[in-house]
Amino acid sequence: MKVIQSISLKKVMHYAKPYQKRLYMVVLFSITLSVFAAVRPYLLKQTIDTYLKVHDQVGLLNYIILMGVVLVLEVGSQFFFTYWASWLGQDIVKDIREKLFHHITTFRMKYFDTEPVGKLVTRSVTDIESIASIFSQGLFMIVSDLMKMTVVLGIMFYMNWKLSFIVILGMPVLLYATRIFQQKMKVAFEEVRNQVANLNTFVQERVTGMKIVQLFNREEIELEKFKKINELHNKAWLKNILYNSIFFPIADILSSLTLGMVVWYGGWNIMHGDTMTTFGDLFAYTMLIGMLFNPLRQIADKFNVMQMGIIAAERVFEVLEREDLVQENGNVTAGHFKGDLTLENVHFSYIEGEEVLKGINLDINAGETIAIVGATGAGKSTIINLLNRFYEISNGRILIDGTDINEFDLYSLRRQIAIVLQDVFLFADTILNNITLDNPDISREEVILAAERIGVHNFIMSLPGGYDYNVKERGAMLSSGQRQLIAFLRAYVSNPSILILDEATSSIDTYSEELIQLATEKITKGRTSIVIAHRLATVINADKIIVMDKGQIVEEGKHFELIAKPEGYYKSLYESQFLSNEIS
């Protein structure tokens, strides 16, 4: 575990390389802070023994001024040390957070299928902030305190070695207590981090699915679940509080006992004429003991802060180093495709041993509109996921214009493919930004022109602010049909080579469907289109219909060809689903 923590700390410090000058300044101010802090008690001793004892008012005033100057320098060093250390920490975590976010966006969909959203939020926000504390409250503070203790011990032995020996007698006990405290707190912090992640995951999921919670009257049930998770979180923190409540009083008692022994022994020496010990020593030692024991006591606390930061770093780097889930990138830049699609013996499994696609062979000519139909779980949407390389196929090949899609650069490949999903996701932003997705190559004028062409412009302009209307999180201010229209326009303005409609018209009203049918005619014209069919009109107009069942293609052909098969699978679907929709 120590080796892992050391490695994690080295990885974090690697991000400090671009800020080496700032790092050197932190070290410099740490040194000056230690020196100025330790010099003040010595100046106090000199003031008492040299000037106060002989009533030298001028010398006393000069030393008091000198102590004031040293105090100002100490305060200044403290300010710059704290500011620069925190600044360095924030810049480092900014870099790590950006790298983490970019890394997460390159993961295959398989990762997001199994990892809770709340966990990733915790890694990207809470854990990253904990890493910042390594610099602002942990590592540099510990180094500064150790340097201060070293200088203080040196001054103590220079002043009075007898009193210094009494001081260090109590330190082994405090060091042992500190060690035990660190071990206990490390376990406690790990438990706290786990419970925080669990709490974040639970709250994230329930807030996202609040409509389901309320629709099925699960408020009380979810509250009871939350209470259990919150209780575990509370118990984890109570352990942390308990250990702090035990350690810090012990440290205070040891410091007080040491001070009492020094005052007693030093006073006894003075009363018996020991010239080695002076009143100035006793005054100085009352300050020096606090400066020696307080940092040692605080080091334990700061060490725990650093431990929490290192544990958080381990979690963050665990995600950062998941290279096995990073999507492979090709070296061929995809231009505007002609649109020929070929699937050769494609096999795929989401879970090993459970094939979803079982040797799919399919040819789609450029410019054709293909409809894929079949029961739920037949593998229709899986084909779309593989085409966009959200997942990697188990066996076989997918080719576009004769080139394996694995050879294409992902960015350029996906720029040529537009998808309209049944469940439309909109960001908490304006309609315009949700359409362009902040693509600088798509102007406002182009969006408006495209909206007019497919008949969506009037609908958008009817909203407050028009194209600048904020749809809020997940497009909550729009109906499902309106969200579909925005998604369709988003696909249209991207001018894709290949268009995919995945159940895109399955949950919209009649008016919205009419608009989408108009848009479909325009956007699919002369463009390869794949439609995972739900509505009858889309199926009838397709150049070819692919019928799937249990991961295999069981039929293909035009509507009138398939409907003419007496015992055909498509005919059965038509009679049970499409015909009933037509009658209703």
Side-chain angles (χ1 to χ4, degrees), residues 520-534:
T520 302
E521 293 176 8
K522 290 183 175 293
I523 196 172
T524 57
K525 187 175 182 180
R527 178 181 284 113
T528 303
S529 304
I530 302 174
V531 181
I532 295 181
H534 183 82

Side-chain angles (χ1 to χ4, degrees), residues 84-318:
W84 284 63
S86 299
W87 183 17
L88 175 63
Q90 286 301 320
D91 276 351
I92 287 174
V93 299
K94 173 180 68 69
D95 294 343
I96 296 177
R97 185 183 286 114
E98 289 176 357
K99 185 174 181 180
L100 177 65
F101 180 80
H102 178 263
H103 195 64
I104 289 174
T105 61
T106 66
F107 281 163
R108 298 172 189 167
M109 286 296 121
K110 181 180 179 181
Y111 181 82
F112 302 102
D113 292 340
T114 57
E115 292 296 330
V117 174
K119 177 181 175 181
L120 292 177
V121 172
T122 300
R123 298 293 176 270
S124 303
V125 181
T126 309
D127 285 339
I128 290 289
E129 286 304 320
S130 295
I131 294 176
S133 66
I134 292 177
F135 300 92
S136 61
Q137 304 173 43
L139 179 63
F140 293 140
M141 289 293 183
I142 291 174
V143 172
S144 177
D145 285 342
L146 289 174
M147 292 178 65
K148 186 186 297 184
M149 290 169 61
T150 302
V151 176
V152 165
L153 274 173
I155 290 179
M156 278 184 168
F157 276 96
Y158 175 75
M159 288 171 50
N160 192 312
W161 64 269
K162 292 181 180 180
L163 296 182
S164 299
F165 270 118
I166 294 176
V167 172
I168 64 174
L169 285 176
M171 293 188 67
V173 179
L174 184 56
L175 286 170
Y176 179 74
T178 301
R179 178 59 180 163
I180 298 297
F181 177 65
Q182 289 171 351
Q183 292 174 344
K184 295 292 184 181
M185 288 300 291
K186 179 183 179 298
V187 176
F189 276 139
E190 287 179 342
E191 189 172 346
V192 166
R193 298 310 307 161
N194 287 331
Q195 295 306 326
V196 167
N198 291 338
L199 200 61
N200 283 345
T201 299
F202 185 88
V203 173
Q204 173 85 25
E205 289 181 346
R206 270 57 185 184
V207 171
T208 303
M210 187 57 66
K211 184 179 292 186
I212 300 299
V213 171
Q214 295 184 358
L215 184 64
F216 288 91
N217 297 317
R218 292 186 58 85
E219 293 91 339
E220 294 301 323
I221 297 174
E222 297 302 332
L223 176 59
E224 290 304 315
K225 288 183 179 180
F226 179 79
K227 284 181 178 179
K228 291 179 182 178
I229 296 175
N230 197 36
E231 181 66 22
L232 292 174
H233 177 264
N234 179 257
K235 287 180 179 179
W237 271 111
L238 284 177
K239 284 185 181 180
N240 185 303
I241 294 169
L242 175 63
Y243 296 145
N244 278 285
S245 301
I246 294 173
F247 173 74
F248 289 109
I250 291 175
D252 288 338
I253 289 171
L254 287 172
S255 177
S256 298
L257 288 174
T258 301
L259 179 58
M261 288 292 295
V262 166
V263 172
W264 171 79
Y265 182 71
W268 188 86
N269 283 344
I270 291 173
M271 287 188 290
H272 287 77
D274 184 359
T275 56
M276 251 186 96
T277 306
T278 66
F279 283 105
D281 288 338
L282 295 183
F283 276 96
Y285 269 75
T286 58
M287 294 179 63
L288 289 168
I289 289 172
M291 295 174 66
L292 185 64
F293 278 75
N294 286 342
L296 187 59
R297 188 191 72 166
Q298 293 168 6
I299 280 176
D301 193 32
K302 292 166 184 173
F303 183 83
N304 290 324
V305 172
M306 190 173 75
Q307 286 275 60
M308 181 176 278
I310 292 175
I311 291 170
E314 290 173 12
R315 296 171 182 271
V316 170
F317 286 119
E318 180 185 354

Side-chain angles (χ1 to χ4, degrees), residues 330-334 337 340-342 344 387 389 397-409 413:
N331 52 20
V332 177
T333 301
F337 292 133
D340 287 321
L341 278 174
T342 303
E344 296 180 352
L387 181 60
R389 288 182 55 194
R397 294 196 307 166
I398 299 177
L399 300 96
I400 300 179
D401 293 347
T403 302
D404 192 317
I405 59 171
N406 290 320
E407 297 180 17
F408 289 117
D409 167 69
L413 171 68

